[in-house]
Amino acid sequence: MRQEQYRMQKIDKTDSVKAGIDKINFYTPNHYLDLVDLAEARGVDPNKYLIGIGQNRMSVAALDQDVVAMAANAAEPILSDDDRQEIGMLIVATESSIDQSKAAALFVQDLLGLTADLRAIEIKEACYGATAGIQLACDYVRCHPGRKVLVIASDIARYGLDTPGEVTQGAGAVAMLVTRDPGILAIEPESLYASRSTGDFWRPNYSTEAFARGKFSEEVYVGMFSDLWDKARQQGLADPEHLQALLFHIPFSKMGRKGLRTLGNGKISEANYNRLTERFEQSIVYGKEVGNIYTGSIYLALLSLLDNDETLQAGDRIGLFSYGSGSVAELYFGTLQPGYRNRLDAQGHRALLDARERLSIPDYEAMFSAQLVTDGSEQNLERSDSAAGASHYLAGMKKHERRYR
Ligand code: HMG
């Protein structure tokens, strides 16, 4: 009863300015690497990857599925004609940018056939970028009745062949339509955030692969989560009794698990810890198959939880811990909305994952090493995914320009 009252209070609290996620979908390329194959090829015990890292597979992007194509493929299925007219801002969050000047959002606007009557921008701050986009979008729709914001997180995680980070690569995009009176998750205006310059992970402009101080990056991630959690507790925003799930940025599932484990050992009650752990297991189902999609990872965790958990209900409150190396972190909260299940396509998402083709190690290495031309010559690309939901792809390069279809 107390819990029900609390839920209703929360819903009421956000009622006057309710903003949040109205629709959500993801796309991942249609090739994957099985991590047991990778372990064998690298001479590693497969359990290190399956248990120690906590991943089973990773999606691998062919050249025609760059961040623009993946972003458009994630968004295309959820947009109605009305949505296309009402979108006042298009945000593409990525750290796998294709241009130093022009926003990826402009290419995506074109592919999705959106009107010219919008702001199109790209946001970068490692894996935190999409959360900045979501918060900006919520503020925008609160001030602009009748307008919507399309936020798309799209990334390809690359560390290099035979590096410690190789097993934590992945590729994919998550598209979210942010509106007033959202149908899935109403996001609370109060949140906790922190920024601190750290050298845990970075990618210089000249490099197609990221560099990481792996163990240090884990420490920073866990430290920033603990700081924000403690602050949220002090401010009365993170009462574990009334938190039905806690989502994490998932570069690999063990990382989120390490964050969650900081709440064990008596920091919250055993019953609350067990409930959050059960829900956490549902939130990593998709990520374990797809790998790190950087800024979309936490939203893939949200989608995984909503698609796979059968016990959550409208009014349940969820926490989201977003972390981007470098580093910016934010802990925020949202409430599930009545009828949210009807707005999900769990079957379609599972079908997308199941339709992927398994790569041999030589094919994966060839796909990973393939590059677009950089000398201005013409390059035509073969379409890698014509069946499993990819209506958009990069057709090639000409005179240093990307040509999409
Ligand atoms: P590593 O050197 O392979 O680590 O690098 P390890 O040897 O310590 O092994 C990893 C785990 O496997 C350990 O467990 C081992 O005990 C266990 P832990 O101590 O961590 O709990 N293990 C085994 N378990 C079962 N059976 C076995 C076995 N052998 C070992 N036989 C590392 C791992 C994650 C550091 C590396 O992959 C890496 O550098 N990854 C990239 C960086 C990264 O993902 N950092 C995460 C935090 S930062 C972040 O999330 C932001 C990011 O997404 C970027 C952005 O913001 O844009 C990365």
Side-chain angles (χ1 to χ4, degrees):
M1 186 60 200
R2 237 184 83 219
Q3 186 157 343
E4 198 48 42
Q5 272 171 358
Y6 180 85
R7 282 185 195 146
M8 293 326 293
Q9 265 173 13
K10 267 291 159 196
I11 290 175
D12 289 348
K13 200 173 166 192
T14 52
D15 248 358
S16 51
V17 284
K18 219 191 254 180
I21 299 170
D22 189 55
K23 295 181 181 180
I24 181 167
N25 188 45
F26 89 99
Y27 173 77
T28 191
N30 73 333
H31 291 96
Y32 75 90
L33 184 65
D34 190 293
L35 296 184
V36 174
D37 294 347
L38 183 66
E40 279 164 9
R42 302 294 179 243
V44 170
D45 177 352
N47 281 337
K48 174 173 176 181
Y49 292 172
L50 302 177
I51 300 166
I53 297 289
Q55 293 294 113
N56 298 338
R57 295 171 171 183
M58 66 188 190
S59 287
V60 183
L63 282 182
D64 69 317
Q65 284 302 321
D66 67 1
V67 288
V68 166
M70 291 195 300
N73 286 323
E76 186 71 66
I78 56 171
L79 297 182
S80 67
D81 290 347
D82 284 350
D83 293 334
R84 283 173 213 266
Q85 295 302 317
E86 289 161 8
I87 289 172
M89 183 149 65
L90 169 60
I91 299 173
V92 175
T94 186
E95 57 179 294
S96 323
S97 195
I98 57 153
D99 196 288
Q100 297 282 28
S101 174
K102 182 173 170 179
L106 287 157
F107 294 97
V108 174
Q109 173 197 21
D110 196 29
L111 291 177
L112 293 175
L114 302 182
T115 70
D117 182 22
L118 54 76
R119 294 178 182 143
I121 55 168
E122 182 173 313
I123 290 185
K124 176 185 70 182
E125 180 4 62
C127 299
Y128 172 73
T131 297
I134 289 284
Q135 294 294 357
L136 200 60
C138 287
D139 290 347
Y140 176 91
V141 299
R142 285 185 189 112
C143 302
H144 296 82
R147 301 294 262 167
K148 300 174 177 176
V149 182
L150 180 59
V151 180
I152 314 177
S154 187
D155 266 315
I156 300 174
R158 290 170 61 91
Y159 292 90
L161 302 176
D162 211 358
T163 60
E166 183 179 31
V167 63
T168 67
Q169 297 177 143
V174 180
M176 292 162 283
L177 193 65
V178 173
T179 65
R180 280 187 167 208
D181 297 320
I184 296 178
L185 187 75
I187 293 172
E188 296 169 20
E190 312 96 303
S191 70
L192 293 304
Y193 41 83
S195 300
R196 194 183 301 151
S197 178
T198 47
D200 66 328
F201 168 105
W202 65 102
R203 184 169 71 81
N205 285 348
Y206 55 77
S207 177
T208 54
E209 278 85 48
F211 298 92
R213 293 189 175 95
K215 291 289 163 197
F216 177 56
S217 72
E218 295 186 292
E219 278 170 36
V220 181
Y221 176 119
V222 168
M224 287 185 93
F225 169 67
S226 295
D227 289 352
L228 293 185
W229 174 265
D230 290 347
K231 267 193 201 150
R233 290 286 277 146
Q234 283 158 17
Q235 295 180 20
L237 287 174
D239 179 356
E241 204 55 46
H242 301 298
L243 205 55
Q244 298 305 316
L246 184 55
L247 298 172
F248 287 84
H249 163 54
I250 304 288
F252 51 95
S253 73
K254 181 68 150 307
M255 188 68 249
R257 200 177 290 286
K258 285 184 184 182
L260 183 59
R261 277 184 187 158
T262 62
L263 301 184
N265 301 325
K267 213 168 184 183
I268 62 176
S269 77
E270 202 180 327
N272 289 331
Y273 183 70
N274 290 343
R275 183 181 64 254
L276 295 181
T277 303
E278 276 166 31
R279 297 254 162 74
F280 174 80
E281 300 303 336
Q282 304 303 326
S283 77
I284 57 176
V285 172
Y286 291 165
K288 284 172 85 165
E289 301 287 304
V290 170
N292 195 356
I293 57 168
Y294 287 156
T295 192
S297 293
I298 186 173
Y299 299 101
L300 188 62
L302 172 65
L303 197 49
S304 179
L305 175 73
L306 299 184
D307 277 357
N308 293 297
D309 184 287
E310 289 172 0
T311 57
L312 285 166
Q313 26 178 313
D316 282 345
R317 189 167 183 253
I318 291 177
L320 296 95
F321 172 67
S322 176
Y323 175 80
S325 282
S327 301
V328 180
E330 182 153 351
L331 178 60
Y332 71 97
F333 302 89
T335 305
L336 287 175
Q337 297 302 292
Y340 77 90
R341 278 185 204 284
N342 304 331
R343 305 178 80 80
L344 302 168
D345 180 18
Q347 246 181 330
H349 298 146
R350 180 37 70 189
L352 181 70
L353 291 174
D354 291 347
R356 293 177 303 167
E357 285 172 37
R358 182 175 178 162
L359 290 172
S360 66
I361 293 292
D363 285 348
Y364 149 67
E365 292 187 344
M367 202 175 264
F368 183 89
S369 305
Q371 297 286 340
L372 294 174
V373 295
T374 55
D375 60 359
S377 61
E378 187 167 350
Q379 181 181 24
N380 295 309
L381 298 176
E382 269 182 40
R383 192 173 179 182
S384 65
D385 181 0
S386 52
S391 43
H392 302 287
Y393 64 103
L394 176 65
M397 296 285 292
K398 196 175 178 184
K399 294 186 181 164
H400 300 286
E401 276 189 304
R402 290 180 190 233
R403 293 179 293 110
Y404 291 95
R405 283 198 196 127

